Amino acid sequence: MLTATSPIKCVATWYDMHGARTASGTRMHRDSLTAAYNSAAFGTRLQVTNCKTQAVCTVTVTDRMGIKSANRIDLSKAAFGRIATHQQGRLEVLINIIK
């Protein structure tokens, strides 16, 4: 479980469901810096760091993932593009809650 004092290392992927409603009720936009994540409340801001390159992006949780995706985060296309190339598809990241 993600807490303000304990960052989590996990696998990040990206998704692009442009225009679809998210679990929070907002519309997904591929250019927004948002994420689907199961272990933080909607509206929580997370700092996501690429473990290999140390590239950082700040996202807002607006969506949830399937139960089988526990301990993973799906980033919007724009957010993933800030820390890696889309061709990578998956990468190891460190997630921290921003206070």
Side-chain angles (χ1 to χ4, degrees):
M1 177 92 163
L2 182 64
T3 66
T5 58
S6 62
I8 287 182
K9 188 181 281 191
C10 66
V11 174
T13 56
W14 66 275
Y15 73 122
D16 184 3
M17 295 175 50
H18 186 70
R21 287 228 182 259
T22 65
S24 68
T26 62
R27 293 228 180 251
M28 167 69 165
H29 194 285
R30 72 178 56 99
D31 296 331
S32 62
L33 299 177
T34 59
Y37 192 65
N38 291 341
S39 298
F42 295 134
T44 301
R45 291 173 32 103
L46 304 175
Q47 178 180 299
V48 182
T49 305
N50 181 328
C51 291
K52 186 174 182 180
T53 66
Q54 301 305 305
V56 176
C57 182
T58 300
V59 297
T60 302
V61 176
T62 60
D63 210 356
R64 294 288 184 236
M65 299 174 57
I67 294 171
K68 292 182 180 180
S69 298
N71 202 29
R72 281 189 38 212
I73 187 169
D74 275 346
L75 302 173
S76 65
K77 185 175 183 178
F80 194 93
R82 293 251 176 128
I83 62 172
T85 64
H86 294 108
Q87 290 77 15
Q88 286 180 288
R90 298 169 53 94
L91 66 133
E92 191 171 74
V93 297
L94 188 65
I95 302 172
N96 289 290
I97 291 179
I98 296 176
K99 293 183 182 183

